[in-house]
Amino acid sequence: MGAANRVQGGIFTLMVVKIGDPYDPDLERELAEQVALSPGFFADAPVVLDLKDSLGCTSVADYTALRQLLRRHGMIPVGVQNASALQLRAAKSVDLSAFSGAAGGARRPIERAPAAPERAADRPAAERSSESRTRLVTQPVRSGTQIYAKGGDLVVVAPVSAGAELIADGHIHVYGALRGRAIAGAAGDTTARIFAHRFEAELVSVAGRYIVSDAIPPEHRSQPAQVALIDDRLCILPGWGNGRGAAEG
């Protein structure tokens, strides 16, 4: 097997845990409450520590305490984001990776300033056509399958099985049963929504906010529904309307 086949790219969904004071007793209480809602979802789950505005996590002892706390609740820390130079140096000492993260924990699109103004007509046609494209999936999405619509919306006109994962930088539309995971606004778009004709999702997420299946009220199950961020809270809305839903995350 050649080196090109051994080392390949991949896209993974990671939870983010915001850390203020690593020794704050409220941290463990809040984690315990969250895990109690869906223990299976958090079992051996990899997490990234968001250190924005954290004054701790500057020593190996801090990370050792955090690792022990998270492991007690089934989570495995794999890296940090929004870390200062001192925090990052200590994190690397305990084999935690550095992740790029936006302020506030919610992912936002990376903005790049071009060296010079460029007209759309000056770019190659293939490059222009790839911008904000909608990805269409017409076959059933099986368990273990991950589909990512980079830079646009994802439309699935077939069932999505439990264990499958849909990811889009824009909206996600499922014209069938949604039984797996759906992650919209993956690059930080807080206006993104998830639409499903039959809502039975394991997890739904918009711009980093998420709701797991155990927190979905029974009145929304197996019904048409949409998921949206409203007033910075993730809400499940009945049908395809604009009213507020009963579930918030």
Side-chain angles (χ1 to χ4, degrees):
M1 180 183 293
N5 292 325
R6 291 185 184 276
V7 182
Q8 299 180 357
I11 300 171
F12 300 92
T13 304
L14 297 176
M15 285 183 289
V16 176
V17 178
K18 295 183 179 180
I19 304 296
D21 178 357
Y23 301 101
D24 183 355
D26 287 339
L27 174 60
E28 181 156 18
R29 177 184 57 78
E30 291 169 5
L31 286 175
E33 291 174 355
Q34 191 72 25
V35 172
L37 295 175
S38 184
F41 175 73
F42 289 95
D44 296 324
V47 298
V48 174
L49 308 178
D50 185 357
L51 304 183
K52 178 176 170 57
D53 299 327
S54 174
L55 299 179
C57 300
T58 57
S59 68
V60 171
D62 291 347
Y63 286 109
T64 300
L66 275 174
R67 189 190 299 273
Q68 293 172 346
L69 184 155
L70 291 166
R71 288 303 292 141
R72 284 198 296 272
H73 297 284
M75 290 173 274
I76 303 173
V78 297
V80 298
Q81 71 176 20
N82 296 319
S84 67
L86 182 59
Q87 290 169 331
L88 188 57
R89 185 159 56 247
K92 289 182 177 179
S93 297
V94 293
D95 299 324
L96 293 178
S97 299
F99 288 77
S100 61
R107 297 175 184 172
R108 293 187 175 88
I110 298 173
E111 297 182 356
R112 299 177 181 175
E118 182 184 31
R119 295 182 302 160
D122 295 334
R123 295 194 297 274
E127 181 180 336
R128 294 198 306 271
S129 63
S130 67
E131 294 180 355
S132 302
R133 290 190 59 180
T134 296
R135 182 171 181 180
L136 175 64
V137 177
T138 59
Q139 299 296 319
V141 184
R142 306 299 183 187
S143 178
T145 302
Q146 182 187 78
I147 299 176
Y148 179 32
K150 182 176 176 61
D153 298 344
L154 177 59
V155 177
V156 181
V157 292
V160 179
S161 299
E165 188 170 71
L166 307 179
I167 305 174
D169 289 343
H171 305 296
I172 294 177
H173 304 257
V174 179
Y175 293 91
L178 170 59
R179 300 188 177 96
R181 301 183 180 188
I183 300 166
D189 183 0
T190 57
T191 66
R193 294 195 176 200
I194 299 168
F195 303 85
H197 269 194
R198 186 171 179 177
F199 189 68
E200 301 174 0
E202 296 174 318
L203 173 144
V204 287
S205 172
V206 175
R209 281 48 162 212
Y210 70 92
I211 298 174
V212 296
S213 60
D214 292 347
I216 298 173
E219 61 266 25
H220 292 300
R221 293 188 177 276
S222 302
Q223 301 297 321
Q226 63 176 289
V227 182
L229 271 176
I230 299 176
D231 297 332
D232 205 37
R233 297 185 65 84
L234 194 60
C235 302
I236 301 175
L237 312 177
W240 302 85
N242 296 317
R244 292 181 181 270
E248 294 186 351

